[in-house]
Every structure is written in structure tokens, then in C-alpha cells.
Amino acid sequence: MKHIAHWVLTALLALGSLGAQARSLDAIRKDGKIVIATEGQFAPFNYFQGAKLSGFEIELAEMVAKKMGLAVEWKALSFDALFAGLGQDRWDLVIASHGITEERARAVTFTAPHYCSGGSIVSLDPAIRRPADLQGKVVAVQTGSTYLENVKKLPGLKSVKNFPQDTDARSALMSRRVDAWVTDKFVVLAALNAHPASGLKVGEFLFVDRIAAAVTKGNDSLAQGYNAALATLLADGSYSALSRKYFHDDVRCR
Ligand code: ARG
């Protein structure tokens, strides 16, 4: 009986993904417009400046699309909805600072990476800097992030608290509901720039994240078109200029 139920479920899942036909690069070219989803709560990569989506990834994706001869229609959604919508063919591409992981790569097709960064420990207490200092402590991370995966591996934590948005994990630290926050090293710098009096202290760097955009699993024509355009920008100096504007550095993966 258990076997049959499992078989039925597998068949239904397969049918579900057959139903969702990702738009090929040709189909998108005919339409002239690519639909890109992001979160909009992860400065300086993707965030709202008033009502306008801004950030390194927003500007970069627009440059890539332009190279591909496409206009962009943006969608902003909660982080946990982004990959699910690819499977349902609700948008063509996601760019929201996703690190490439094996588990994610089973669900989506990653493009070439557009920056390399990683997770850092952040706290208000100068004594909390290293993984060993987190023993017996409560750590805040964004739900579904690589920070959660990596923090879970550290021994001796009291607990890990998940927040739907990274900005909520930061608030939990600011109001001292947690002892530490683990997030992207550039996100901490942006938070410090925006709130110089916050007292945030950047501790040790924990792991490397290779960050890429993603398309529906198997939409290779779109991934290749995107990769070719990104490679041009990486080679002709435009990527470098944009990266320096945000980070005073070239943040490409090496
Ligand atoms: N780099 C981390 C990850 O891969 C965090 C990404 C968070 N992105 C966002 N738009 N909030 O999970």
C-alpha cells in the first residue's frame, strides 16, 4: 500500500513539472521581455529605494538583459517563493543572491556565478567573533539561506532562530533578542554604512558562497544566453565598473 501511494505521488509530481513549460530563449526573444524575480530585502544586492527596486543584482541583471536584447519585467517576492515560482513557470529567472548548493542544483539550473562572497558572524558584543564564541548562544539567520545550513553545522549553539527576511534577523540582534546574526559580509557592511551608530561588530568569515542566478531546471537555452551576455560584461569592463560602484572592489568569483 505504502508503495502504491509513493508511486502515485511520484507520477503526480512528474505530471506537474511537465505541465509547467519554461519559456525557451527563443520564446522570450519573440516576446522581447524577460520576467525576473527577486526579493528586494537584501541590500546592497537587491532592495527597494522607495518604490524602486535597486542594488547590484538589479543593475547587473538589467545590463545582462540589455545585452541579450531584452526588456525586464521585475517581480518582488518573499525569498522562499522564488524557486517555487520557477517550477510553476511564473517567471523566467531568479536573481536574489542564492549561493550554489548541491541541494538547490537538484531543483533549478544555476547560471554562471555573478559574485563570490560568504557568511560572517555579526554581533554587538566584541567577545562574540569566532565559531567557538557561539557556544551556548542564540544565532539569527534568514530561513532557507546558506547561513542556516552552515550555522547548523557549528557545535554547541544554544539555538538557531529563523527569520523570513534577513532584515528581521538583523532587527533581532539589534534588539538583543539573539546573541549573533550570520549573514553576507557585504550585507553587514551596507548595514553599518546605513546605521553607523548601530554598534554592529563583524566577526569571523565562515564560508564561501558562489552566488548565481537560476532558471527553471533544464532551461539550458536561457541559461546559455544569460551566461554569454554576463561573460561579455565580465570581459569588457562594465561588470568591474558596476562592482566598484557598490563595493569599491571587483567581487567576481576567481
Ligand atoms: N547567500 C545566501 C544564500 O544563498 C543568502 C541569500 C539571501 N538572499 C536574499 N535575497 N535575501 O542563501
Side-chain angles (χ1 to χ4, degrees):
M1 190 55 191
K2 255 192 176 163
H3 260 89
I4 297 175
H6 182 79
W7 184 88
V8 170
L9 188 67
T10 311
L12 282 175
L13 281 174
L15 274 175
S17 49
L18 278 182
Q21 251 327 314
R23 297 202 300 166
S24 67
L25 180 57
D26 271 353
I28 296 170
R29 283 225 162 100
K30 267 183 206 121
D31 182 30
K33 190 181 75 188
I34 183 169
V35 184
I36 308 185
T38 189
E39 185 201 31
Q41 307 292 341
F42 202 57
F45 298 105
N46 60 79
Y47 61 99
F48 280 94
Q49 231 167 7
K52 194 179 162 356
L53 266 177
S54 330
F56 176 66
E57 290 181 303
I58 307 303
E59 288 196 51
L60 182 64
E62 282 184 349
M63 281 164 61
V64 170
K66 195 170 172 204
K67 266 273 168 278
M68 296 169 79
L70 299 170
V72 179
E73 179 185 333
W74 284 103
K75 306 239 183 237
L77 294 110
S78 64
F79 186 64
D80 68 352
L82 295 170
F83 279 3
L86 277 179
Q88 298 155 354
D89 200 27
R90 291 170 59 204
W91 35 86
D92 302 307
L93 185 126
V94 167
I95 188 160
S97 286
H98 285 89
I100 300 174
T101 67
E102 245 174 63
E103 194 189 337
R104 286 173 176 170
R106 281 197 281 274
V108 301
T109 292
F110 278 108
T111 65
H114 59 278
Y115 74 94
C116 267
S117 183
S120 287
I121 298 173
V122 192
S123 77
L124 295 170
D125 176 353
I128 303 179
R129 318 195 59 255
R130 297 166 308 132
D133 305 331
L134 296 177
Q135 289 192 17
K137 300 288 192 266
V138 183
V139 182
V141 290
Q142 182 173 28
T143 311
S145 66
T146 51
Y147 317 126
L148 174 60
E149 289 313 305
N150 283 275
V151 162
K152 276 202 288 198
K153 292 185 204 152
L154 301 176
L157 301 197
K158 181 165 179 205
S159 66
V160 180
K161 284 215 166 103
N162 288 270
F163 296 86
Q165 293 185 9
D166 192 55
T167 46
D168 297 330
R170 182 187 73 208
S171 304
L173 175 63
M174 295 309 297
S175 57
R176 299 181 187 269
R177 280 173 286 147
V178 299
D179 303 299
W181 167 40
V182 171
T183 190
D184 186 277
K185 63 175 186 183
F186 294 116
V187 167
V188 195
L189 292 182
L192 267 170
N193 278 338
H195 313 276
S198 62
L200 291 174
K201 301 199 172 45
V202 191
E204 225 166 73
F205 183 75
L206 289 179
F207 67 96
V208 174
D209 237 354
R210 293 169 61 78
I211 308 289
V215 299
T216 306
K217 180 93 184 154
N219 193 353
D220 297 334
S221 65
L222 179 55
Q224 278 158 20
Y226 173 100
N227 287 346
L230 176 62
T232 308
L233 301 174
L234 283 163
D236 72 5
S238 12
Y239 175 95
S240 207
L242 182 67
S243 176
R244 279 168 208 290
K245 169 174 136 185
Y246 278 91
F247 309 106
H248 308 291
D249 197 6
D250 188 316
V251 297
R252 76 181 67 192
C253 296
R254 291 166 202 277

